[in-house]
Amino acid sequence: MKKLFIPIILLLVLVVSGCGKGAAPAETQEPATNANQTANTNKSANTEQNSGTITYNSETGPIEVPANPQRIVGLTNAPNILSLGGTLVGVDEWTNKNPLFTDKLEGVEIVSDESLEKIIELEPDLIIAGSYMKNLDKLQEIAPTVVYTWGKLDYLEQQLEIGKLLNKEKEAQAWIDDFKQRTEAAGKEIKAKLGENVTVSVFEYDAKNLYVFGNNWARGTEILYQAMGLGMPEKVKENALGPGYYTLSLEVLPQFAGDYIVLSKNAAGDNSFLSTDTWKNIPAVKNNRVIEIDTEASSYSDPITLDYLLNIFKDALLAES
């Protein structure tokens, strides 16, 4: 389940399946008894506002959740929630930073798995969290808490599960079906124009390193390789397909370059390599076949991000030479 030193890149990609985890603000936690009393009060108020419930079969077992949740805290998968019109009252800091969601998150509080008091104050009727997060038992006392393990589901399965959770399975499935049709058609059109064996590489950089990505590490990799079926250079297959990403040195960068390059540009990263002869002499660079995307806007694999990147890729790959 949505960018960079290695720890941050791992965090943000947990975020590609939508699992962002932010830094916790300093605070003094309530005693357990007070937290329980407040949580019970919140639950009662939410029940009065929305008495309808459904049973969601989560990975940790069946859980009763609101049939129409109105106050969701999305510690993970927030972009998926937004794509289905879910109402967020709390969100992780990484989703909040993403420029694709700025207008959709106005007034939404930034929270983490450690900011329990703030979450209680938000009076959520549903919490969505990652299995790696802290305080899952305490979150469950505040509101029904559904947990997802990053990597257990692929990007389309994850969207469908969020649809089931929000009682919007039909809407989620409709988008999945439409997305598959659109990307398959785009892939065929691109191959017809550029050749069946055309290859694409996806590179990114941070303050210290260069990276190349496999087929499930956000930045549009799911679109390019899985949905559209475009080719991956052999070096990328050998080194990045399994682990998801691979750290490169500038010297070997040309060996990983495809016929086209998608360059995830990090405003806070070191882009000095772009001025080197090594970069400039890569055939894709010399032939103006570099597609630039914004790292912050490309670090998730939800419908909003995928549709945004699909349009960029189609326009670039199908542009008249």
Side-chain angles (χ1 to χ4, degrees):
M1 246 129 256
K2 230 259 217 25
K3 170 162 157 167
L4 308 143
F5 292 96
I6 282 290
I8 297 180
I9 191 172
L10 290 175
L11 178 59
L12 289 179
V13 173
L14 287 178
V15 183
V16 131
S17 330
C19 296
K21 181 181 179 184
E27 62 186 22
T28 302
Q29 294 186 4
E30 285 187 307
T33 53
N34 291 341
N36 291 343
Q37 290 170 0
T38 307
N40 290 334
T41 301
N42 292 339
K43 286 182 178 179
S44 298
N46 288 329
T47 300
E48 291 175 4
Q49 293 172 2
N50 179 23
S51 59
T53 62
I54 61 172
T55 299
Y56 174 71
N57 292 315
S58 76
E59 64 179 63
T60 58
I63 180 171
E64 190 171 331
V65 299
N68 183 28
Q70 297 298 304
R71 300 186 63 80
I72 305 170
V73 167
L75 298 175
T76 185
N77 296 106
N80 302 86
I81 299 166
L82 289 172
S83 73
L84 287 166
T87 304
L88 287 165
V89 294
V91 71
D92 66 280
E93 68 170 311
W94 302 109
T95 302
N96 183 72
K97 289 180 179 180
N98 191 308
L100 294 185
F101 309 123
T102 301
D103 60 340
K104 299 175 176 62
L105 294 174
E106 186 175 353
V108 177
E109 290 287 335
I110 300 174
V111 291
S112 77
D113 52 349
E114 295 187 346
S115 53
L116 296 177
E117 290 184 4
K118 183 181 287 188
I119 292 174
I120 289 172
E121 291 172 359
L122 293 174
E123 300 185 2
D125 54 6
L126 178 65
I127 300 172
I128 302 175
S131 61
Y132 62 91
M133 292 182 175
K134 301 176 182 178
N135 297 316
L136 293 178
D137 55 340
K138 294 179 181 179
L139 290 170
Q140 184 64 59
E141 294 175 357
I142 299 171
T145 300
V146 174
V147 172
Y148 292 108
T149 299
W150 181 80
K152 190 168 186 177
L153 303 172
D154 70 26
Y155 71 110
L156 297 179
E157 292 169 337
Q158 184 65 72
Q159 178 65 10
L160 186 59
E161 283 303 306
I162 297 295
K164 293 176 182 178
L165 175 60
L166 301 185
N167 205 16
K168 294 186 177 184
E169 182 178 0
K170 290 183 179 178
E171 292 92 326
Q173 187 63 59
W175 177 84
I176 291 170
D177 294 340
D178 179 61
F179 178 76
K180 285 182 175 179
Q181 292 176 357
R182 287 185 287 123
T183 52
E184 181 181 1
K188 289 179 179 178
E189 189 175 359
I190 290 167
K191 289 178 182 179
K193 180 186 181 207
L194 303 179
E196 286 291 326
N197 298 317
V198 65
T199 59
V200 183
S201 298
V202 182
F203 294 131
E204 186 175 291
Y205 56 92
D206 62 17
K208 288 187 176 181
N209 297 307
L210 292 165
Y211 308 96
V212 64
F213 296 107
N215 68 351
N216 64 347
W217 213 253
R219 288 77 166 183
T221 54
E222 291 89 353
I223 299 173
L224 296 166
Y225 301 126
Q226 295 188 44
M228 293 200 297
L230 301 184
M232 180 183 290
E234 287 301 319
K235 278 286 188 180
V236 179
K237 287 182 185 178
E238 293 172 11
N239 294 278
L241 189 56
Y245 76 95
Y246 183 70
T247 306
L248 301 170
S249 66
L250 177 61
E251 291 72 26
V252 302
L253 186 65
Q255 300 175 31
F256 290 79
D259 300 317
Y260 285 78
I261 291 172
V262 172
L263 180 63
S264 176
K265 300 190 73 173
N266 179 359
D270 178 7
N271 65 357
S272 59
F273 74 96
L274 297 175
S275 300
T276 65
D277 289 339
T278 301
W279 171 259
K280 292 179 179 179
N281 286 325
I282 294 174
V285 178
K286 294 175 69 174
N287 293 318
N288 197 29
R289 293 177 175 176
V290 177
I291 305 166
E292 296 183 353
I293 60 176
D294 175 14
T295 296
E296 284 194 347
S298 309
S299 56
Y300 292 89
S301 300
D302 65 282
I304 296 171
T305 303
L306 292 170
D307 285 337
Y308 163 75
L309 291 174
L310 176 58
N311 288 331
I312 291 176
F313 296 155
K314 283 178 60 180
D315 289 346
L317 293 171
L318 293 174
E320 293 296 331
S321 302

